[in-house]
Every structure is written in structure tokens, then in C-alpha cells.
Amino acid sequence: RNCGREILGTVQRLRYTSPPSDSALSSLFVFHLEGNECISANAKHCGECIQAGAKCGWCEQEDFLKQGEALSTRCDEVESLKERGCNDSQIQNPIGKKSIITNKPVTNRKKVTGVETNKPKPEEITQIQPQKLRLNLRSGQPQSFDLKFKRAEDYPIDLYYLMDLSYSMKDDLENVKNLGTSLMLEMKKITSDFHIGFGSFVEKTVMPYISTTPSKLLNPCTGDQNCTSPFSYKNVLSLTSDGNMFNSLVGKQQISGNLDSPEGGFDAIMQVAVCGEIGWRNVTRLLVFSTDAGFHFAGDGKLGGIVLPNDGKCHLEDNVYTMSHYYDYPSIAHLVQKLSDNNIQTIFAVTEEFQPVYQELKNLIPKSAVGTLSANSSNVINLIIDAYNSLSSEVILDNSKLPEGVEIEYKSQCKNGVVNDKDDGRKCSNISIGDEVNFNITVTSKGCPNDGKSETIKIKPLGFTEEVEIILNFICDCQCQNNDVVKKSEKCSLNGTFECGACRCFEGRVGRNCECSSNDMATDDMDQTCRKDNSTDICSNNGECVCGTCECKKRPNPEERYSGQFCECDNFNCDRSGNKLCGGNGRCVCRECICDPMWSGRACDCSLDNSTCLATNKQICNGRGRCECGVCKCTDPKFQGPTCETCPTCPGVCAEHKLCVQCRAFGTGEKMKTCKEECSYFNLITVKDRNKLPQPNDYPYPVMHCKERDANDCWFYYTYAVNDTEREVHVVDKLDCPSGPDIIPIVAGVVAGIVLIGLALLLIWKLLMIIHDRREFAKFEKEKMNAKWDTGENPIYKSAVTTVVNPKYEGKC
């Protein structure tokens, strides 16, 4: 019911501004549910308070609590406590810290050819720094430290070769017999301190894995093949630096046999990992597992009647595993744990047929590798060298089991400036010998794990024996709980302990001073003292009546508080302005605003400062208005703006804003290059045509219509208006430019005109010639009619006929 009243009261306060939106109400409910972690803790003493969160503090100042405030209000965010009047020196806010105990620098060692006189022991070589530190952790407060890793050059290596000696590996054994000296020579290029060992495995010595007939137990092979008796695992040679001894002992080994295809290699790996007889040193440990078949794992032992889970312990007698018939095969997870605990890196040398199977197994076993073994193991040395280089080029950090409530994060700074975080923050790849990488490790605790007892965790790079030991101390109590503590204090009515500025009542006692018994709390007489003016509401429904005194309830928002003798006051139900309590210019005291200087009004939203009303001519509101609450109220309707200096309808307004409108709307004009700097003082709104421009009657403020012409004789149209303090310009988005001449009709007209004129001239000429010819013909006819002809002979006439006579002609034919 009280929660509902709080929410309703908050919604009612919102009505002073605007109706709350759905999102506002949603966030309001979320806020009430989540609240402040310090207040939500409802801490009764300092220890509980500092465990609530990293920002929480406890005020031990005795006179800190005001009337009606509960004891738990001493716990709040540190900044809030200071704002509420708690002296900084009286705030309990312990801070976690780190201290490095062992910080031996990493070893800078170079590989020496020949005999080295001062060769360090493996345990004297350091690849990780620091080695031991202490973290004092406070709940929610992370502590970080840097870890350095450097691969030491010439670091010792132990390599144990574990080989499948089932019959199918017969040809492989011949190549492995000389492996010792050959591998020793190759590994000497990497380290001067190399040990090698050898072991073999076949299968559990029970049915149905092998044949248990007497003859097959002596020689499991068929025909005239001479094979040794089947066995589970045999340690042939413990780790040694004598390569010749490796060749000698391996040369004496014989192939054995079994019935099924999968082998019992997991039994052998478990014994190699946990048995001290192998001779592992605290150096780089490599296990080469060579086979051409699959593997049995946990549960497969049931086929032979073996149901006891593998115990993960050593069971070697005379270097032979004797409990294969008693314990089941180990599980993959069990193997991963033992290999990791003993810092063993595994190399699976398998034939191509079983590559996919062992690739999947490799993904489950950290710091392991898979190599393809040739049919007769002739490439085993190159396989081992390549796999070792692959494994040693990557460092992966791992940590031991964390206490409940403790979290750890990694961030790596790898080679070539590569930075990884989250899941990849644990590792760095492509590391060469002598490279140095850094990790930033952050440890955080929640609450007070393990009742505040110290815990130890360890971080180590997988496959390496070195580790970092981290001692975790948890800060669960305040210093004031150990100092100046008064048991059965008079301040607590002898019924409690006075610590950290407040009473910590004994069981069965309540009240700020432990003055009441919990059995007497709910009496009518006590409740009556918690009612204001005989009201029916106890503590105004904003608190609880404890020992006859109101203890006001806390609000999720630490800045909002109930107070008063009857919790009738609060500091959040005052008038608001601009969605701010008391306009942000005052304090809310018992639901009334106490305004700051130069402010007045119910919501402190009326400024008494006239400086905001001064115009550029130093007159109040430009002499055309009055200043009310720091805002000008213009009395001349022509003038607007915050200081009554803007006149949108006065002459010259259009010309004043022409260039800015031109550059912003069309990107042209004299201010085109400086438009952004000089013309951002108004809001530009574009419209499609002149009919869309605002009209004088559309708005309650004056609107000036403008028509201006640019350099291209194009007209543009816009309106200018001032809406309160904002200037608005509506502009038509297209220029009105005069249209140019239509060339085609002009050319066609000219051509047609010329043709027509030519034709007209020709017609006129023809007409004139006709008139002229007719006149001449008429004249000719007239003269012809008037002519008189003489009939006499023409004296100058000559006949057209001439007769010539041949003188020789005599008239004969």
C-alpha cells in the first residue's frame, strides 16, 4: 500500500509539467524496484554496509541522524553522506589494496654452447613475475595487478615417449629403436638439458580385450610370430639424459597383441602423469603418445566386468601397471585434470586414419597437439619438434578453483602490440624464445566469501610448473568495529554495544538507544505517540513506529527522504518547474521550496535578476516592455525577442536577411563560403510553392513576406518571423527565373521570312515584267497598225541565187 502511495505521489508531481509518457512510467517503476544498493541493503551495522557495494559508506558521526531517520540511513553512497552533512573524517569507507610479497625478476639467460660452469638449476629459472602477492578485497571493488611472462632460453625439457606395442605397430618399433640418440641431437639445438624416457602399452589383460587362453597369454600373435605377453602399461625407461640407454632398452622391446581395435592408452597416460617413477622434473614436460588406433575411455571397462572408476593414483609394481583388471579406464575430464595438475603437455602422434578422432580429443585437452605419423613412424622426430614449437609458442593462463563470490578477469598485451580481453585475455600466441608478454589480472569479490577467512588461489601458465600464489583477504568489517567499542554502553541503555556512532542492540532489544524490548513494541500507547493530531495513520504512512518513535522509511532514490517527528515531511513533493524540483533553484524542505538568493515563486522559477532583460542599448527590454521573472514581456506588438529588439515587420528586414536566406536555401550569393558561420541564427523551412508560405493570420506573431532578386535576375520568395526566441524562415525551394528565347521558332521564323520575302520579291518582279511586256506589246501593235509600207524595189537588194557557168562545158553528157 505504501509503495502504491509513493508511486502515485510521484505521478501527481509530474502533472505540474506534462502528462507522463509510457516510457517515463516504465522507468519510474524500474527505479523503484532497483533503487540504491546501499539503501536496499538495510544495513544494521557498518560491516553490512560496506559489503553492500563499493560506493557504500557508513557515517559514524553521532549527531548525523535527523528526527525520524532509521539507523540504516547511516549507510549510503559516500557522496550522498557528505551532502547530507556527514563529516568526511567520520565516514567509514575502507579501500582494498594489493601488496607484492615475492617479486623475483624473470631470468635473462642465453643458451651457451659447450660446457657451462654456472648453469642454473631448473628451480632457479624464473619465467613468471611476481610469484606471490596479497590482495585485500572489498565487496564490489576490483583489485588489479600485472603479471609478466618471458620464455627463458635453454629451458630444460623432459620428454616421455609412450608407444602402442600392439601388433600393428611392428614396423614403427624398428624406427623408434634409434630414436634416443637422434632425438637427443635435435633437442640439443633447443636446450642443453634434455631428458628422455620410454613406456609402452597394449590393453587390459582381461576378456574381451585380449584372448585369455594360456597359449595366447604367452604369445598373442598368430603363426610363427614371436610376440611378448600382453600387458596394460609398462615403464621401460624412466627419464634420463642417456640417449644410448634409450636405444638399448627400446631395442629389446617386442610387439604384443590384443583382440579389439581401440587400445588401452588412457590407462597408460594416467600412470605416466601421476607416478613418480617416471622421474619428472619441475621443467617443461612433454608426453608423446604414439598409436595407430583409437582409445577406450570410462565406461568401456564394463565389457570386461570392471565397474570401479579409475582412482587417478599410481599403481606401478616393478614398472608395470598392475590394477588394469580392477579399475576402469579414466574419463577424458579425469585425464585433463591430472595432466594439468602435473603440467604435462601432450603430443598425439597418430596415423592419418585417426587424425579426426585425436583432433577432437586435442580440443578437450589444453596445451596438447596432434601430428600425423607416417606408416612406419619414420617422421617421428620432425613431428615432435614441430609439435613442441607449436605448444611452446602459446601461453595460456589458468587459475585454481575460485572461492564463492570471487571473479577474475584477464587482459593480455601480447607480441606486436596485440591486446586481448575476455575469453581471449588468458592467452598469447606466436611467442618466440626470449619474448616477454604481459597480463593484467583483475580480481573482484561479491559480499564476504567464506565468512571473511583468507583464501589462496593460484595462477599458472598451462604446461609450466611455475605459478603465482595469491592470498585473498576479505574486508568484512569496519575499523570502527574494532576500535572504541563500548559494550553495555550507557548510550545504549546498557542493552547494547556502542560502535561506529550507533547502538548495536542485544537480542530482544530495539530502539535507537535500545531502550525498548521487542515484546513491548506493538502496544496501543506506543502507537498513539506516532500519530499526528490523533490521526489514524501511524507515522503518516511513511514510516514505522519503533519504541514509540517514528522511524521514517527510506526511498530508493538516496536524494529523497522522509523526515519529521511523524514522518510528515519530505524533500521531494514540492512544486516543479522545467521538470526540476523547485526549478533547480532552491531546496525542498517539508514540501515547501526554500528559494536560493535572487529567486522567488512557489517553484523558485522566478528570477529577480534583470540582467537577462538588458538590451544591447543597456535598456530594460529595449524600452518596449517590462521584465518579469527575468523574461521580457514586450508591450509594443511590433517588437519581439528575449529583449524586445526584434521587429520582423519593420522596413529593411528582407534586405537584412536576403544573403543568408540565399546561401542556406540555394547555396549561392556573397555569403556562400561563410554561410555556416554567419547564417545559422534562424531555422530554415522549405516549401514547394508560394501558396505554402505562412500567412499573417496563421500565427499569433507577425510574419514578414519578402521577395528578393539574385545576381541572375531570379526571384526568390520567403517569410521571416520570430517565434518567442526562435527565428523562423520559410522559403520557396525553387527560384523564379525569367525564361530565355526559344531558338528554334526564331530560326524557323527568320528562314520562313527570308523565303517569303524572296518569293514576294520574285512575284513583284514577275508582275512588273508582265506589265512592262504588255505595255511594249501594245505599243508594238499600235505602231504596226500605224505603219505604211513602200512597194518599190530595194536598190540594195541582191538575189539569193547565183548562177555559175563552167567554161569548159560544151553541152555534152
Side-chain angles (χ1 to χ4, degrees), residues 651-721:
V653 171
C654 294
E656 179 184 354
H657 304 290
K658 168 188 172 181
L659 294 178
C660 282
V661 173
Q662 185 180 357
C663 77
R664 286 191 58 183
F666 308 106
T668 60
E670 298 177 8
K671 292 188 177 182
M672 182 174 58
K673 295 183 179 180
T674 60
C675 189
K676 190 174 181 179
E677 293 79 12
E678 298 182 17
C679 299
S680 58
Y681 59 86
F682 58 82
N683 295 329
L684 183 69
I685 303 168
T686 59
V687 296
K688 293 295 183 182
D689 53 58
R690 294 175 63 181
N691 295 330
K692 302 292 184 180
L693 290 174
Q695 301 303 315
N697 296 328
D698 292 346
Y699 298 99
Y701 45 83
V703 177
M704 185 69 174
H705 280 255
C706 300
K707 175 183 178 183
E708 296 293 335
R709 186 164 57 184
D710 63 10
N712 297 323
D713 287 335
C714 294
W715 295 94
F716 57 94
Y717 304 90
Y718 67 93
T719 62
Y720 178 81

Side-chain angles (χ1 to χ4, degrees), residues 50-71:
I50 62 173
Q51 292 178 39
K55 296 181 180 180
C56 300
W58 178 274
C59 182
E60 60 175 329
Q61 187 174 310
E62 289 188 39
D63 59 352
F64 173 69
L65 294 183
K66 296 179 175 58
Q67 191 175 32
E69 291 185 337
L71 173 65

Side-chain angles (χ1 to χ4, degrees), residues 403-406 446-456 472 474 476:
E404 185 178 358
V406 175
K446 300 293 183 183
C448 195
N450 199 20
D451 297 327
K453 296 179 182 178
S454 295
E455 295 275 0
T456 299
L472 303 180
F474 302 103
C476 299

Side-chain angles (χ1 to χ4, degrees), residues 18 30 215 377 505 559 582 603 635 767 774 781 795:
S18 61
V30 171
S215 60
S377 298
C505 299
E559 297 181 358
C582 297
T635 55
L767 181 61
R774 286 182 177 181
E781 287 292 333

